Amino acid sequence: MKPAVKVTITGAAGHIGYALVFRIASGAMFGQEQPVILRLLEIPQSMSALSGVRMELEDCAFPLLHDIVTTDDAAIGFRDSDYAILVGAKPRSKGMERKDLITENAKIFSHQGRAINDHASRDVRVVVVGNPANTNALIAAANAPDLDRSQFTAMTRLDHNRALGQLANKTNTLVADISRMTIWGNHSLTQYPHIDHCLVDGKPALDLVTQDWAVDHFIPRIQRRGAEIIEARGLSSAASAADAVVDHVHDWALGTPEDDWVSMSVHSDGSYGIDEGVVFSYPVTCKAGKYEIVQGLDLDEFSVSRLKASEDELLGERAIIQELLP
Ligand code: NAX
């Protein structure tokens, strides 16, 4: 049997963590031939809840789960980690300004970036889920000078999957029939879900739906889907977010299908004119643990303006946490 892959999950006792750890242990992320060791990192106040998660993991008797480490010490949590999934973050409390939320989280993610730099595998792959995810990924990478910034990503796969679901509903097709969906920008209300390059059963999506539907219904619905779920459930997305984490890491590690791509927030290399100082969601293909931004897609004036709006928002977030960037 292959050596076990070590996966660190922060915030493992939270809602998304609880929906995620069992799926990783069952083999959904790396396949049925790949054992895993889970390293679950929490804050001291959540260690009791985390011990309950650990008990339930043990009670599942997953054949692929070779060990479980629970800790509130980042040095132990990230030790030799091959994959680090950063879910734990500070939620917005009553009266908290957006600026304070960004700054408070930047402190957490700069600390975790340093711990990853000092303790994780040199090949570690990091995905940031905790919000503001893109800027948290930027600050974590900036605090890990010994690692390549391409090892740090943020998750826009939930938005991507939501977009696939809505287009499938509208065109009365299966999600599996749709390819080349893209989410551009920030994981926020300025994200730009984009169907101009999408194929449905091999045909352009825009032969089946109108631009008006895309602009007036599809784009705002994906942008606000998180709020729609909270309104219905009284709780934020957890199972779908965990599922998107599984997809993000699975495809990064094992590759994207031929002739298709996925959306991942990665460090901009200037592609599509985006400032190199931000982590931006792009269409990417993955192979053997590496991603490449899809190049050469035509963008009309409306799309360019949407990308610019999201880039501006990310530059604004960056300005707020500038002093924490080494
Ligand atoms: P919960 O509040 O249920 O869980 C968060 C957990 O993180 C708690 O158990 C808490 O003790 C722990 N935690 C806090 N600070 C920590 C630290 N410094 N180190 C380790 N653990 C820490 O939130 P949940 O619903 O699980 O959401 C987690 C994060 O995901 C939030 O920031 C949320 O906004 C974000 N989301 C991001 C999404 C994305 O697509 N990128 C979608 C879903 C979700 O909204």
Side-chain angles (χ1 to χ4, degrees):
M1 203 168 220
K2 295 181 190 172
V5 162
K6 298 181 190 70
V7 187
T8 301
I9 299 139
T10 73
H15 288 106
I16 295 173
Y18 188 69
L20 176 62
V21 293
F22 299 92
R23 302 224 25 227
I24 300 175
S26 74
M29 190 171 264
F30 300 107
Q32 294 304 321
E33 305 293 316
Q34 178 60 65
V36 292
I37 292 173
L38 294 180
R39 306 186 74 89
L40 310 180
L41 178 63
E42 262 291 352
I43 50 175
Q45 304 89 293
S46 299
M47 286 306 287
S48 169
L50 188 62
S51 71
V53 175
R54 182 199 183 106
M55 286 182 232
E56 284 201 73
L57 278 165
E58 289 167 357
D59 295 350
C60 290
F62 289 116
L64 290 171
L65 182 56
H66 282 200
D67 197 10
I68 310 165
V69 176
T70 53
T71 181
D72 57 7
D73 179 344
I76 297 172
F78 291 115
R79 186 175 297 157
D80 298 331
S81 184
D82 298 303
Y83 293 89
I85 303 171
L86 310 187
V87 182
K90 206 173 180 113
R92 194 173 201 148
S93 51
K94 217 172 169 197
M96 196 185 218
E97 302 267 332
R98 184 170 163 273
K99 182 169 178 285
D100 301 330
L101 181 77
I102 292 171
T103 314
E104 285 302 312
N105 277 297
K107 288 182 200 151
I108 294 175
F109 285 84
S110 53
H111 170 72
Q112 292 186 348
R114 275 195 294 280
I116 290 168
N117 186 68
D118 294 347
H119 302 287
S121 153
R122 296 304 82 188
D123 283 331
V124 66
R125 304 275 188 281
V126 182
V127 51
V128 176
V129 178
N131 280 317
N134 295 53
T135 296
N136 290 340
L138 181 81
I139 194 139
N143 282 279
D146 302 338
L147 301 173
D148 195 277
R149 63 184 199 161
S150 68
Q151 292 171 254
F152 289 77
T153 64
M155 188 174 90
T156 27
R157 186 60 177 266
L158 177 56
D159 310 291
H160 179 101
N161 287 349
R162 285 167 171 168
L164 289 174
Q166 290 306 312
L167 186 61
N169 281 353
K170 177 68 181 174
T171 53
N172 205 15
T173 54
L174 299 174
V175 163
D177 297 330
I178 303 178
S179 60
R180 304 187 177 186
M181 179 63 75
T182 307
I183 305 291
W184 301 91
N186 197 2
H187 170 68
S188 75
L189 285 175
T190 67
Q191 66 173 268
Y192 178 45
H194 187 211
I195 60 166
D196 287 17
H197 305 103
C198 261
L199 300 176
V200 179
D201 254 341
K203 294 187 279 293
L206 287 175
D207 287 356
L208 303 172
V209 298
T210 63
Q211 276 286 7
D212 284 352
W213 173 78
V215 172
D216 297 336
H217 297 279
F218 171 76
I219 295 172
R221 186 141 200 213
I222 305 307
Q223 289 170 329
R224 294 174 193 282
R225 185 65 160 182
E228 195 181 345
I229 305 274
I230 292 174
E231 208 175 306
R233 282 183 84 225
L235 290 168
S236 59
S237 323
S240 53
D243 181 70
V245 178
V246 170
D247 287 350
H248 179 114
V249 177
H250 174 277
D251 290 352
W252 193 4
L254 303 176
T256 43
E258 281 291 306
D259 299 325
D260 199 4
W261 62 64
V262 295
S263 305
M264 265 167 78
S265 288
V266 301
H267 278 81
S268 168
D269 59 356
S271 292
Y272 299 94
I274 300 302
D275 191 290
E276 292 190 29
V278 297
V279 170
F280 197 85
S281 184
Y282 281 110
V284 303
T285 54
C286 303
K287 201 172 177 184
K290 295 209 180 316
Y291 66 77
E292 266 182 40
I293 297 172
V294 176
Q295 300 294 332
L297 298 176
D298 283 336
L299 296 176
D300 61 15
E301 213 174 294
F302 175 78
S303 300
V304 170
S305 74
R306 296 299 82 209
L307 265 64
K308 177 91 183 87
S310 215
E311 178 195 26
D312 285 348
E313 181 181 49
L314 284 165
L315 288 170
E317 290 182 9
R318 186 193 160 100
I320 292 170
I321 51 96
Q322 188 70 41
E323 67 198 44
L324 289 168
L325 291 171

